[in-house]
Amino acid sequence: MSDQPTTHFGYRDVPVAEKQKLVGDVFTSVAEKYDLMNDLMSFGIHRLWKRHFVAISGLRRGDRVLDLAGGTGDIAALMLPQVGTEGEVVIGDINDAMLRVGRDRLTDRGLVQGLRYAQLNAEALPFPDRSFDAVTIAFGLRNVTDKQRALGEMHRVLKIGGRALILEFSEVRQDWLRPLYDFHSFKVLPRLGRLFAQDADSYRYLAESIRKHPNQETLRGMLEQAGFAKVEVRNLSAGIVAIHRGYRV
C-alpha cells in the first residue's frame, strides 16, 4: 500500500500531487458555461451574495486588491468602482481557461483600466510581503489543496491594517433546509450540468467539495491560526454561504 499523502477531491481520496490537476480539469471543462451554471444552480442568488460581499468589503479609492480565484471577473468588476481610477485590482487564478474567459468578458464590457491578471497558485503567491490593502476570494478556497498555507499567504501579502475576505459555501444552519439543499446539490445539480454543460461529473464534484469544506467555526479558527485578528463571520441564506473577514494587525 502506498504511503503517499492524500487529500480529498470531492468524496474521493486522491494523492495530494494530483488534486491540483483534477481541479484544473474541472474548471477548464466548465469555464465557458460557468456563469450560466451559477445562475441555474443558485436561481441567480449568487449575484446578490457577491454584491453584498463587495459592498461590505470596506474598499476605498486607491486601494490595491488581490482577487484570488477571480477568473470569471465578476468580483473584480464590482470592486473597480470602489477602488477608482487610482486603485488596482489584480485578478489571480490558477486556471488559464478561467482567466481567459474572464478577461475577454471584462474587455468586452470596456473594463480594462485598473485591472491586471496573474496565473498563480494561492498557496505560493508571487508578490512581496505587504503588497495589498485587501485580498478576496469568492467560491474558490474550497478548491485549494492546502487551505491553511493559502490563508498564510493571504496574510503575508496584506499590508498592516489590510483585510482578507472569503465568500464560500458553508454549513446550512436550519435543520429543515438541509434535506432540500442536499436534494438540490446531489440530484438537481448533476442533471443541470449534463443538460446545459454536457458535464455531470464536474458539477457532482462541486457539490461534494462544498460538503468537504470547513464549516464556519473551523474556518474562523484557520484564519486565526494564519495570524488574522478580529475575525468575523456573517452567514447568508441560512448559512448556505458565509463571509469570513479578518485583519492583519
Side-chain angles (χ1 to χ4, degrees), residues 7-129:
T7 187
H8 62 83
F9 175 74
Y11 286 162
R12 293 164 48 201
D13 286 333
V14 299
V16 168
E18 290 184 14
K19 180 171 179 177
Q20 181 175 314
K21 179 183 182 302
L22 292 169
V23 171
D25 290 344
V26 167
F27 283 92
T28 298
S29 173
V30 305
E32 293 291 340
K33 299 287 187 179
Y34 193 72
D35 286 339
L36 169 65
M37 289 302 300
N38 280 343
D39 283 332
L40 292 171
M41 290 188 297
S42 72
F43 308 105
I45 298 173
H46 75 100
R47 298 180 183 272
L48 299 178
W49 292 333
K50 291 170 181 174
R51 287 180 190 145
H52 183 70
F53 177 63
V54 174
I56 68 166
S57 65
L59 294 177
R60 296 167 296 202
R61 296 187 71 83
D63 277 353
R64 187 169 189 241
V65 186
L66 173 61
D67 182 34
L68 294 173
T72 59
D74 46 0
I75 297 294
L78 292 170
M79 292 192 293
L80 271 179
Q82 294 192 328
V83 303
T85 55
E86 306 95 330
E88 181 180 65
V89 179
V90 179
I91 301 174
D93 203 296
I94 198 170
N95 188 277
D96 178 63
M98 294 291 287
L99 272 177
R100 283 188 283 107
V101 168
R103 182 185 59 211
D104 290 347
R105 288 176 180 172
L106 291 175
T107 302
D108 288 344
R109 293 171 58 184
L111 299 177
V112 177
Q113 184 177 358
L115 289 174
R116 288 178 54 205
Y117 299 86
Q119 187 172 2
L120 51 75
N121 187 334
E123 298 173 27
L125 297 176
F127 305 107
D129 296 356

Side-chain angles (χ1 to χ4, degrees), residues 127-133 155-160 248:
F127 305 107
D129 296 356
R130 304 183 184 182
S131 299
F132 295 95
D133 298 287
H155 185 271
R156 180 184 65 80
V157 300
L158 277 171
K159 299 175 183 177
I160 300 299
R248 179 172 184 178

Side-chain angles (χ1 to χ4, degrees), residues 214-225:
N215 66 14
Q216 289 90 330
E217 290 75 22
T218 302
L219 185 53
R220 181 205 293 267
M222 293 172 68
L223 279 158
E224 291 171 343
Q225 183 180 337

